[in-house]
Amino acid sequence: VNEAFAMRKIEGSIRNSTGIMRDVNSLVRLPELMGTMRELSQELVKAGIMEEMVSDSLDSDGLLEDGDEEAEAEVDKILGEVLRDKMPAAQVPGEPVGQQPTAEEEDLDSEELLAQMRGKLEALKS
């Protein structure tokens, strides 16, 4: 008797699953889905080709390497102008610095550099 009830329960579940699968198949039109996927694939290929072309043109011009130093200098110059009134003269970025520090001086200057960065951050916040 238990086996009969279990078989009847399984049979009902299979009928429900079959009905749901029939409804899903009527909603999903395979030819339209394949066409959409084909168009998506073509657009992704086009986007990949365009990205490679832009990347190659930037690399070949050398804009990425040269632009970093120029951009950093420009940012320092702008920060120096903006922060000139808000910071002491010793901490203003973009000011010419004397000679380059040695390895021993760099360790000592790291704390000073950290203090300068904090000062810049506080000046920008105000």
Side-chain angles (χ1 to χ4, degrees), residues 54-116:
V54 168
S55 176
D56 290 345
S57 66
L58 287 178
D59 288 343
S60 66
D61 290 342
L63 295 176
L64 296 176
E65 295 84 21
D66 296 339
D68 289 343
E69 294 172 6
E70 294 173 7
E72 187 175 328
E74 190 66 26
V75 167
D76 285 343
K77 178 182 165 189
I78 292 171
L79 279 176
E81 292 173 4
V82 170
L83 300 176
R84 191 173 312 275
D85 298 332
K86 297 181 179 182
M87 294 177 62
Q91 292 183 349
V92 176
E95 297 292 322
V97 180
Q99 64 185 19
Q100 294 295 325
T102 62
E104 297 86 27
E105 292 174 344
E106 285 182 11
D107 292 336
L108 297 175
D109 290 339
S110 64
E111 292 178 13
E112 183 180 315
L113 180 63
L114 183 60
Q116 287 179 356

Side-chain angles (χ1 to χ4, degrees), residues 83 86 119-126:
L83 300 176
K86 297 181 179 182
K120 290 178 189 177
L121 180 62
E122 291 300 320
L124 286 173
K125 285 182 181 178
S126 61

